[in-house]
Amino acid sequence: MSRPDYRMNLRPLGTPRGVSTVAGPHDIGTSPGDKKSKNKSTRGKKKSIFETYMFKEDVSEGLKRGTLIQGVLRINPKKFHEAFIPSPDGDRDIFIDGVVARNRALNGDLVVVKLLPEEQWKVVKPENNDKETEAAYESDIPEELCGHHLLQQSLKSYNDSPDVIIEAQFDGSDSEDGHGITQNVLVDGVKKLSVCVSEKGREDGDAPVTRDETTCISQDTRALPEKSLQRSAKVVYILEKKHSRAATGFLKLLADKNSELFKKYALFSPSDHRVPRIYVPLKDCPQDFVARPKDYANTLFICRIVDWKEDCNFALGQLAKSLGQAGEIEPETEGILTEYGVDFSDFSSEVLECLPQGLPWTIPPEEFSERRDLRKDCIFTIDPSTARDLDDALSCKPLADGNFEVGVHIADVSYFVPEGSDLDKVAAERATSVYLVQKVVPMLPRLLCEELCSLNPMSDKLTFSVIWTLTPEGKILDEWFGRTIICSCTKLSYEHAQSMIESPTEKIPAKELPPISPEHSSDEVHQADGAAHLQASHSPLAEDAEAQPSTEECPPETQGVCDRDPDTRLFLLHQQSRVLEAKPQSTMNTCREQATQLQI
């Protein structure tokens, strides 16, 4: 059943990731973890599921001493109980096992971890068929799960499908306080190498494991080769919450209709299993949700986490928006962008005011005295036929001594983006343009990308150029780079450029070519394109270019993103490397802007 868009009064979507403007838990009622706080004096304090984070001062000291390690958390999307951070020494990643060991950190967060004792390190399954080591690997199951009624599987089925157990933990946790029967399971889930193995279960893979039938076996990791162990750790602090704390998913009522929580909260189930389930206040939900929950069974919502207490399995959050029906392209796209913290909002008037207001814009006279004038050279762009943001151009001409002059010319975006301006700040926050199958979320306003900086043919444009003098064999004799002014003579498509390369002596009919500036002929463009291809094929970087995807390997809608004319791409790569090697102070802002513009 189609429902009208249902919005809640929260912060606008598309705000920078890591910045939360939603109300804290004290603004939306008592959290499930605090439900019985008034009875603490008589009933005692509830057992925490997660460890309290270390103090910042202790974390800093631990990082200095080397007893703590920091890194970006990566959670396996297919086995979300597995997480990793890079090892500082570049060796095998450090393993973080389970929700409890992650300690409320989410994918992408910058975390600080503490290594576990060696007897709790992960035993890595060997690539060969060594049965003894493989048996040690198969002991990778928490002791407390042995005999638990959630575990009705053999060891083999656990290793084949560990997600079933994790899902079962959460599915059985809809109890009133969010703990249910799984609290001890989660708390002790990081104990890896002291396991209970059912002897009967080893003989019969379908036999359930029960505590009465098990025998505990202590695995001595010292007897294993060092390469069979993977260092394991637990999160003790979150340095930076890189994850947006937003997720798309579905709403459902709590299972226990007689509980106090049922009257106050609904349960939000994220589509991404790396994100915890979230309690959301019913006042945030559609008004008829409690009476007609099935009407919203296929409605996609966005929810933001606002708190996650130590004594609660689930996080606390607020609904941000209903997106629409699951499976439809626009709701799904908006959900993905929101989850990953992509700012897809329109540019503000303050940002747009940083750009020239009068169009068409003309180059100020003083720029001609400060830049190298290349407007008479045969310079052309090579892009998909439908491209509107032409950000790079190519030139190649023979010299009298038999050598060639090859130039790569990049739109000088830095001229229009003063450092520290509102436009610069927004561009820095967005970092890059985001290319989706059916749309692009630009880093910079379209006025800048498609008009002011686009190297449209027969139009004077500001550029930053690198010009090489090359031998016919591709050896670099000389190079120059700096600010320039160009006037592209034509806009070639990939098909035009490829046809000229494949048939260097065959003239393409004028009606099949795009308009060419009267100052240059189609023959001149044809020769320049062929010469550029010849130089690229002799370049030392040609082997790297061969490893890049070809036009045929890329879907049509993504050409220009995953692929670029191979010769242009090669020269662009070389231009970037040379500019960065030189690093003249006067061009640093230009380099910074161009590094974000080049999609190669």
Side-chain angles (χ1 to χ4, degrees):
M1 178 175 177
S2 177
R3 304 294 301 177
D5 181 60
Y6 184 80
R7 298 172 183 266
M8 293 72 179
N9 185 23
L10 289 176
R11 73 172 188 174
L13 294 178
T15 51
R17 60 177 172 270
V19 179
S20 176
T21 60
V22 295
H26 55 280
D27 293 322
I28 61 175
T30 306
S31 71
D34 291 339
K35 190 182 74 67
K36 301 178 182 178
S37 58
K38 295 181 180 180
N39 299 328
K40 284 183 179 179
S41 58
T42 58
R43 300 187 61 179
K45 187 176 180 180
K46 288 190 295 185
K47 184 177 180 181
S48 293
I49 296 174
F50 302 102
E51 287 189 12
T52 303
Y53 293 130
M54 295 179 62
F55 291 111
K56 189 174 182 179
E57 297 76 12
D58 296 334
V59 170
S60 299
E61 186 63 26
L63 290 173
K64 290 179 182 178
R65 293 198 309 264
T67 57
L68 300 178
I69 301 171
Q70 76 175 47
V72 176
L73 184 71
R74 305 189 324 274
I75 302 175
N76 187 336
K78 294 184 178 180
K79 296 183 178 180
F80 55 88
H81 62 287
E82 296 182 350
F84 307 87
I85 67 165
S87 176
D89 57 9
D91 200 358
R92 177 182 289 160
D93 287 345
I94 297 173
F95 179 61
I96 301 171
D97 181 30
V99 177
V100 174
R102 289 206 300 269
N103 201 0
R104 295 161 286 168
L106 300 183
N107 189 63
D109 286 352
L110 181 61
V111 300
V112 176
V113 303
K114 181 179 180 180
L115 291 179
L116 298 174
E118 186 172 339
E119 59 267 19
Q120 296 183 32
W121 289 3
K122 180 182 179 181
V123 179
V124 180
K125 188 172 183 179
E127 295 182 1
N128 55 27
N129 293 323
D130 183 71
K131 298 297 182 181
E132 182 177 351
T133 310
E134 187 171 344
Y137 173 83
E138 290 181 348
S139 67
D140 188 14
I141 177 173
E143 177 181 353
E144 284 69 20
L145 284 179
C146 296
H148 198 283
H149 81 276
L150 292 176
L151 181 60
Q152 300 297 322
Q153 309 172 48
S154 66
L155 285 175
K156 184 178 186 302
S157 64
Y158 173 80
N159 286 315
D160 290 344
S161 184
D163 293 353
V164 176
I165 296 177
I166 303 297
E167 286 281 12
Q169 291 175 355
F170 286 120
D171 286 339
S173 300
D174 292 347
S175 60
E176 185 173 321
D177 61 358
H179 300 285
I181 55 179
T182 63
Q183 177 172 322
N184 291 334
V185 175
L186 287 173
V187 170
D188 299 322
V190 295
K191 298 180 180 179
K192 299 295 296 181
L193 294 177
S194 179
V195 302
C196 296
V197 180
S198 170
E199 296 180 0
K200 181 179 180 182
R202 286 194 176 273
E203 300 172 359
D204 182 4
D206 297 326
V209 180
T210 60
R211 184 171 297 277
D212 295 338
E213 297 173 344
T214 58
T215 303
C216 290
I217 300 176
S218 178
Q219 176 67 47
D220 187 0
T221 59
R222 293 174 297 179
L224 295 172
E226 185 176 349
K227 64 181 180 179
S228 298
L229 295 179
Q230 182 173 15
R231 289 188 297 173
S232 300
K234 61 181 179 181
V235 174
V236 296
Y237 193 77
I238 302 177
L239 283 175
E240 188 173 358
K241 294 181 177 180
K242 289 286 190 178
H243 191 280
S244 65
R245 264 51 185 180
T248 59
F250 302 91
L251 278 179
K252 67 177 183 179
L253 296 174
L254 295 180
D256 187 358
K257 295 183 179 181
N258 298 319
S259 68
E260 288 297 321
L261 284 180
F262 184 87
K263 302 176 183 179
K264 297 180 180 180
Y265 294 94
L267 190 64
F268 179 83
S269 297
S271 302
D272 185 351
H273 290 171
R274 295 174 296 180
V275 181
R277 289 188 178 183
I278 305 169
Y279 285 118
V280 294
L282 286 176
K283 67 183 182 66
D284 285 350
C285 301
Q287 292 182 356
D288 59 345
F289 170 69
V290 175
R292 305 176 63 180
K294 291 184 179 180
D295 289 355
Y296 297 91
N298 199 43
T299 301
L300 205 59
F301 290 88
I302 293 178
C303 182
R304 295 187 183 276
I305 294 175
V306 297
D307 194 18
W308 193 356
K309 294 188 176 297
E310 298 171 6
D311 59 0
C312 191
N313 289 341
F314 300 157
L316 186 67
Q318 283 187 320
L319 287 185
K321 182 182 179 183
S322 67
L323 296 174
Q325 294 299 297
E328 296 180 359
I329 185 67
E330 289 305 321
E332 295 283 0
T333 298
E334 185 173 344
I336 291 172
L337 293 174
T338 303
E339 282 184 345
Y340 285 89
V342 177
D343 184 355
F344 57 94
S345 60
D346 293 335
F347 290 97
S348 67
S349 57
E350 291 79 11
V351 169
L352 296 177
E353 287 173 0
C354 296
L355 299 174
Q357 301 302 305
L359 294 177
W361 178 81
T362 57
I363 299 176
E366 59 268 19
E367 290 299 319
F368 288 92
S369 61
E370 298 176 357
R371 295 172 179 264
R372 185 170 173 177
D373 192 347
L374 303 177
R375 289 178 295 169
K376 294 183 178 180
D377 290 6
C378 180
I379 299 174
F380 49 89
T381 60
I382 304 177
D383 286 282
S385 57
T386 57
R388 291 183 295 179
D389 51 340
L390 313 179
D391 54 13
D392 55 72
L394 186 65
S395 63
C396 183
K397 64 180 180 181
L399 302 177
D401 57 4
N403 295 321
F404 292 86
E405 184 181 271
V406 177
V408 175
H409 317 276
I410 309 296
D412 190 355
V413 183
S414 64
Y415 178 85
F416 299 96
V417 188
E419 191 166 2
S421 64
D422 289 339
L423 178 56
D424 183 49
K425 293 175 182 177
V426 169
E429 179 63 35
R430 295 196 178 201
T432 185
S433 295
V434 179
Y435 290 83
L436 303 172
V437 172
Q438 84 284 15
K439 65 187 296 184
V440 177
V441 180
M443 180 185 71
L444 296 166
R446 295 191 182 279
L447 172 63
L448 183 64
C449 300
E450 299 176 6
E451 294 290 339
L452 299 173
C453 287
S454 184
L455 306 182
N456 299 320
M458 290 167 275
S459 178
D460 295 350
K461 297 294 181 180
L462 301 178
T463 50
F464 190 88
S465 304
V466 173
I467 298 175
W468 298 283
T469 300
L470 305 174
T471 67
E473 293 75 28
K475 181 180 179 181
I476 298 177
L477 301 178
D478 191 22
E479 65 183 3
W480 177 91
F481 49 90
R483 290 182 170 87
T484 54
I485 300 176
I486 71 166
C487 182
S488 172
C489 65
T490 189
K491 172 190 173 183
L492 295 181
S493 68
Y494 291 152
E495 293 76 16
H496 294 137
Q498 191 63 33
S499 178
M500 294 177 181
I501 291 171
E502 293 176 350
S503 305
T505 60
E506 183 177 337
K507 186 174 182 179
I508 300 177
K511 64 180 181 179
E512 297 181 11
L513 289 173
I516 298 177
S517 170
E519 288 78 12
H520 303 279
S521 65
S522 60
D523 290 341
E524 188 177 1
V525 174
H526 195 146
Q527 292 173 2
D529 182 68
H533 170 71
L534 181 63
Q535 289 298 317
S537 63
H538 289 309
S539 170
L541 294 176
E543 294 182 1
D544 294 336
E546 291 176 359
Q548 301 294 328
S550 66
T551 304
E552 291 75 12
E553 294 171 342
C554 296
E557 61 271 356
T558 60
Q559 288 187 6
V561 181
C562 70
D563 182 55
R564 185 185 292 272
D565 173 69
D567 302 332
T568 306
R569 181 177 62 225
L570 186 62
F571 286 123
L572 286 171
L573 286 170
H574 194 54
Q575 184 217 37
Q576 283 189 346
S577 65
R578 293 302 299 129
V579 169
L580 293 175
E581 286 174 12
K583 292 183 181 178
Q585 195 65 30
S586 60
T587 63
M588 284 306 294
N589 189 41
T590 301
C591 295
R592 175 174 59 86
E593 296 295 340
Q594 289 164 0
T596 61
Q597 283 292 301
L598 295 177
Q599 305 294 332
I600 57 176

